[in-house]
Amino acid sequence: MNCYFDYSAPKDLLKGRVIVVTGAGDGIGRSAALSFASHGATVVLMGRTTSKLEKVYDDIEQAGHPQPAIIPIHFEGATPHDYEMIAGKLEEEFGRLDGVLFNASILGLRTPISQYDTDIWAQVIQVNLNSQFYMTRALLPLLEKSTDASIVYTSSSVGRKGRAYWGAYAVSKFATEGLMQTLADELENTSSIRVNSINPGATRTSMRAYAYPAENPAEVITPEEIMPTYLYLMGADSKGTTGQAFDAQPPKV
């Protein structure tokens, strides 16, 4: 069952927390990083394009929020060893992690399975699924050092009900839901780490514009408008909530 509810986050919700955000350079990841920082978190910005991460870094600093950190990473090419090295750097710098938002994804092709390019299929699965598994495994020991850690995976409506022509993207999001549920079940009685997923819904991002080129962006809500669910899952108010599939937008009537 999918979950949605209104949430108003207290200003100091994430004070003192260290939170990793992947795909932090633009779109939902950028908004999440800024939102987490504005509620007191030290945010670790991860993504492919350093210049975009630096712009988010500057925006956070200029707003007077806790100083963030930047870790550029190319999710398609990164190996399990690369993620272990990142975990080592994070441990050295911060000693623990209190949260991870897995937001980075690529769309791939909108085409029938029968015509799907095999190289692009492998690329989408690598970025949207395999990299998350590698990174999750590497960061779990750091998350265990927190008394209240949260892992949030980014899903999609096409990862909960398959839709024609969404190909590897849809399949990767189904697998993301499976990763979330499996990990949540493994940790539920042995760890304080909670694990959930968010379906952002139709949101004004570059990926959405690419997928729906004829759509009027002004008719789609902004990433900033869906942040309440992200804040809820990263903060202490969601303690004990795990293995749940959340929707960031209310169901359409």
Side-chain angles (χ1 to χ4, degrees):
M1 182 176 178
N2 299 345
C3 309
Y4 171 80
F5 60 93
D6 286 323
Y7 178 71
S8 181
K11 186 64 180 174
D12 62 350
L13 177 75
L14 304 176
K15 185 177 181 180
R17 297 189 182 225
V18 181
I19 300 174
V20 169
V21 178
T22 74
D26 55 21
I28 292 171
R30 178 182 184 278
S31 291
L34 290 167
S35 185
F36 295 162
S38 73
H39 287 80
T42 296
V43 183
V44 180
L45 309 168
M46 294 183 64
R48 182 176 58 184
T49 307
T50 303
S51 59
K52 289 183 178 181
L53 299 178
E54 289 173 342
K55 178 64 169 64
V56 179
Y57 182 104
D58 290 343
D59 289 345
I60 290 173
E61 280 226 310
Q62 288 168 12
H65 304 321
Q67 183 180 23
I70 290 178
I71 299 181
I73 183 168
H74 186 44
F75 293 105
E76 184 183 350
T79 66
H81 178 66
D82 293 326
Y83 293 104
E84 295 292 344
M85 289 183 64
I86 287 171
K89 290 178 182 177
L90 290 171
E91 182 170 25
E92 184 178 331
E93 181 71 22
F94 301 109
R96 70 176 200 287
L97 284 178
D98 302 294
V100 182
L101 170 60
F102 287 99
N103 169 76
S105 293
I106 57 173
L107 184 64
L109 298 173
R110 295 282 307 278
T111 189
I113 294 291
S114 61
Q115 299 171 23
Y116 209 99
D117 181 273
T118 55
D119 289 339
I120 295 178
W121 181 281
Q123 179 189 36
V124 172
I125 298 299
Q126 179 67 20
V127 173
N128 295 6
L129 177 64
N130 293 344
S131 71
Q132 295 189 140
F133 159 64
Y134 299 149
M135 189 167 157
T136 298
R137 190 179 66 166
L139 297 185
L140 276 173
L142 285 177
L143 290 159
E144 291 285 6
K145 293 186 176 184
S146 170
T147 57
D148 182 33
S150 175
I151 299 174
V152 178
Y153 294 102
T154 302
S155 185
S156 168
S157 59
V158 298
R160 294 176 178 171
K161 186 181 187 305
R163 199 179 307 159
Y165 313 125
W166 282 83
Y169 182 81
V171 171
S172 72
K173 294 303 182 179
F174 269 99
T176 294
E177 293 281 6
L179 176 59
M180 178 275 287
Q181 292 177 23
T182 301
L183 182 61
D185 202 48
E186 289 175 356
L187 297 178
E188 188 167 14
N189 297 315
T190 62
S191 170
S192 63
I193 301 172
R194 56 191 178 278
V195 188
N196 298 282
S197 70
I198 294 179
N199 167 27
T203 311
R204 195 184 308 169
T205 64
S206 56
M207 180 184 288
R208 177 78 186 184
Y210 181 78
Y212 295 95
E215 185 176 69
N216 180 2
E219 297 177 356
V220 184
I221 71 170
T222 65
E224 289 77 14
E225 294 176 88
I226 64 171
M227 285 300 113
T229 308
Y230 289 77
L231 288 166
Y232 170 72
L233 288 175
M234 279 299 169
D237 288 339
S238 62
K239 197 165 187 174
T241 300
T242 194
Q244 301 300 308
F246 282 80
D247 290 320
Q249 299 183 38
K252 289 183 171 58
V253 179

